[in-house]
Amino acid sequence: MRSSADPPPKSAVSHGVGLAGLAGLGVWTLVARHYGMNGPNAGLAAVVACGLPMVLWSLIVDKVHRRASTGIDWNGPARPVREVLDISLVKIAGLWATWLGIAIFYCIARWYWRGDYRFSMDLFAAAAPWLVGASIPYVIWLDRRLVEPKDASYAFGQWVIGGAAGAADMGQVANHARAWAVKGFFLAFMVSIVPGNFASVVEWRIEDALAHPVALAGFLIAVMFMIDVCMATVGYMLTLKPLDSHIRTANPYLEGWLAALICYPPFVLMGGGGPLDYHAGGAEWDVWTQGSTALQWLLGGWLVLLTAIYAWATVAFGIRFSNLTHRGILTHGPYRWSRHPAYLSKNLFWWFSSLPFLTVSHSLTDMVRNCAMLGLTNAVYYWRAKTEEKHLSADPDYRVYSDWMERNGAVPRFFAWVTGRKRVAGPVVQPAE
């Protein structure tokens, strides 16, 4: 039990944000199920239904726009437009150049025009004129309130227009490019999988789900994945300073990008037929539990619990979920147990759902290969975790959280017990005067 003398650091996100989004998503899902709305636009509406309550909670209850970390000064009158117009025009030029670069990348990369990705491309094409138009008043409005309007966007704009020698801070230029590379790559992927995940929940018949423990587990797991996907998509969309959800920094380490990208298409190594595919000659958990209802309830319930922890880890981010970025330090929800609850739960899920040590082919070779490949997959996620810690450790707030977690977190304490490693002592508490 956590000592009151060693409380956790304050989280950048409150519990209410994720719960508000969960409520909005739940209501829309019930409406969609009632009316049989299972198309791509219904899935997109689910993202809106999830995101809008989180934005309102963030602004009205948490008042995130008032935080110093936004870089916005709401006190006193805004600067006159004429004082910031030159800066804003440079930033707009940089922003438009960024979007053009992402669009060119989409055109070059052929996978974006096949399968589920085509929905993302059609959506982005329809939204582009509106975003271009809205960016002009938005940038000018924000620059009038920013404490320091010459930020990374400005540095990138200076680099684009070839400003005066030394005007572009190349460190800021690189951070801007990395942040938008993250958003461009992962947002397209998330939007592409939203319709399928939403439809998989809407199309389930409750009577079918309740007919068998395997079916019930499948339905609940589908619900958890839908929550994760919708919440994460909101996070990639809303990288905005007025919401304090902007990207502070994007991971500057090449190994961090490699570790993350090989877990996602088209670079994914763990997919069917990939070099780390751990399903050769195997079968999923429902095959091995046939004939034992008790075992189906037990293993199915365990898989649902692991998926729930995985989804909860995304819900805890609220509007700030994103790979490879720092957008504020979380210390609440499952992040009070572990620094990486999502990675831990999903890797455990894969072991218990695929049971790689069992094969329908009765092949010792397949068994050894599958266990080894899943072990390597686990190692990739351990690598990802370490590169993320390396990135976030540049923030003193994360170092404080990491130290607290080492002293109090359930998962670090468990591994310390298993390995016999001596735990770090807690802070010395001075007696009250």
Side-chain angles (χ1 to χ4, degrees):
M1 189 172 182
R2 189 180 70 251
S3 171
S4 59
D6 190 12
K10 183 177 176 59
S11 184
V13 182
S14 72
H15 288 284
V17 182
L19 293 177
L22 203 57
L25 178 58
V27 170
W28 172 248
T29 303
L30 292 175
V31 171
R33 283 184 58 85
H34 179 76
Y35 290 103
M37 295 184 289
N38 60 353
N41 291 333
L44 189 60
V47 175
V48 176
C50 175
L52 185 58
M54 291 197 289
V55 170
L56 295 176
W57 185 282
S58 297
L59 293 175
I60 298 172
V61 180
D62 293 340
K63 302 185 185 305
V64 295
H65 58 294
R66 294 287 180 179
R67 294 179 181 176
S69 51
T70 63
I72 301 173
D73 180 12
W74 298 103
N75 300 316
R79 297 184 185 91
V81 173
R82 63 179 179 275
E83 288 187 14
V84 300
L85 187 58
D86 288 347
I87 296 174
S88 297
L89 291 176
V90 170
K91 293 171 74 169
I92 291 168
L95 184 60
W96 289 358
T98 302
W99 291 347
L100 177 61
I102 293 173
I104 292 173
F105 173 74
Y106 287 155
C107 291
I108 294 173
R110 293 187 177 184
W111 67 83
Y112 285 115
W113 303 94
R114 296 192 295 261
D116 294 338
Y117 272 115
R118 188 56 190 256
F119 176 70
S120 299
M121 296 300 101
D122 291 341
L123 178 64
F124 293 169
W130 298 94
L131 291 174
V132 168
S135 65
I136 300 172
Y138 173 77
V139 170
I140 295 173
W141 167 77
L142 189 59
D143 283 346
R144 296 181 67 199
R145 288 288 183 181
L146 283 176
V147 175
E148 179 47 75
K150 293 184 178 181
D151 53 15
S153 297
Y154 176 78
F156 188 80
Q158 283 283 2
W159 179 77
V160 167
I161 66 174
D169 181 336
M170 295 311 295
Q172 290 278 60
V173 169
N175 188 53
H176 173 92
R178 286 192 297 265
W180 276 98
V182 168
K183 186 163 182 172
F185 180 84
F186 287 103
L187 181 58
F189 170 70
M190 297 307 302
V191 170
S192 74
I193 63 176
V194 163
N197 277 268
F198 186 72
S200 70
V201 172
V202 173
E203 292 170 356
W204 268 90
R205 296 173 58 194
I206 296 300
E207 55 268 31
D208 292 340
L210 297 177
H212 195 271
V214 172
L216 180 58
F219 173 68
L220 294 176
I221 289 171
V223 170
M224 300 302 171
F225 281 134
M226 179 199 70
I227 292 171
D228 166 70
V229 168
C230 289
M231 287 276 184
T233 303
V234 170
Y236 283 109
M237 287 181 172
L238 298 180
T239 53
L240 301 171
K241 287 185 177 179
L243 296 176
D244 197 31
S245 60
H246 57 291
I247 297 173
R248 277 71 164 167
T249 57
N251 197 316
Y253 303 110
L254 177 61
E255 62 266 33
W257 284 78
L258 291 176
L261 291 179
I262 62 177
C263 299
Y264 291 89
F267 312 110
V268 62
L269 300 183
M270 303 84 175
L276 296 184
D277 182 11
Y278 50 87
H279 297 90
E284 291 299 297
W285 69 280
D286 58 308
V287 173
W288 302 112
T289 57
Q290 288 179 4
S292 176
T293 303
L295 190 56
Q296 288 173 339
W297 278 110
L298 182 63
L299 187 52
W302 175 238
L303 292 174
V304 169
L305 176 61
L306 289 174
T307 314
I309 295 172
Y310 173 70
W312 186 17
T314 304
V315 171
F317 273 91
I319 58 176
R320 302 188 188 207
F321 182 87
S322 175
N323 282 299
L324 293 170
T325 61
H326 170 22
R327 298 171 67 182
I329 307 302
L330 272 63
T331 66
H332 70 297
Y335 293 93
R336 291 199 181 184
W337 306 339
S338 167
R339 299 180 189 88
H340 307 283
Y343 292 168
L344 179 61
S345 59
K346 73 158 57 174
N347 279 273
L348 285 172
F349 179 94
W350 290 330
W351 276 98
F352 285 95
S353 64
S354 66
L355 302 174
F357 41 83
L358 300 174
T359 61
V360 294
S361 61
H362 304 292
S363 167
L364 179 62
T365 301
D366 285 344
M367 181 194 73
V368 172
R369 180 191 299 115
N370 290 344
C371 289
M373 292 304 100
L374 184 49
L376 288 174
T377 297
N378 301 153
V380 168
Y381 277 85
Y382 179 80
W383 183 28
R384 283 184 68 178
K386 288 304 176 183
T387 61
E388 290 173 7
E389 291 175 8
K390 182 179 179 181
H391 169 214
L392 295 175
S393 291
D395 186 337
D397 288 343
Y398 183 79
R399 296 197 296 271
V400 171
Y401 162 70
S402 185
D403 291 343
W404 180 89
M405 178 61 65
E406 196 64 27
R407 296 190 302 270
N408 298 280
V411 173
R413 291 173 64 183
F414 171 76
F415 282 110
W417 174 74
V418 169
T419 60
R421 177 168 48 86
K422 188 176 181 180
R423 290 175 54 215
V424 179
V428 176
V429 180
Q430 299 294 335
E433 296 180 358

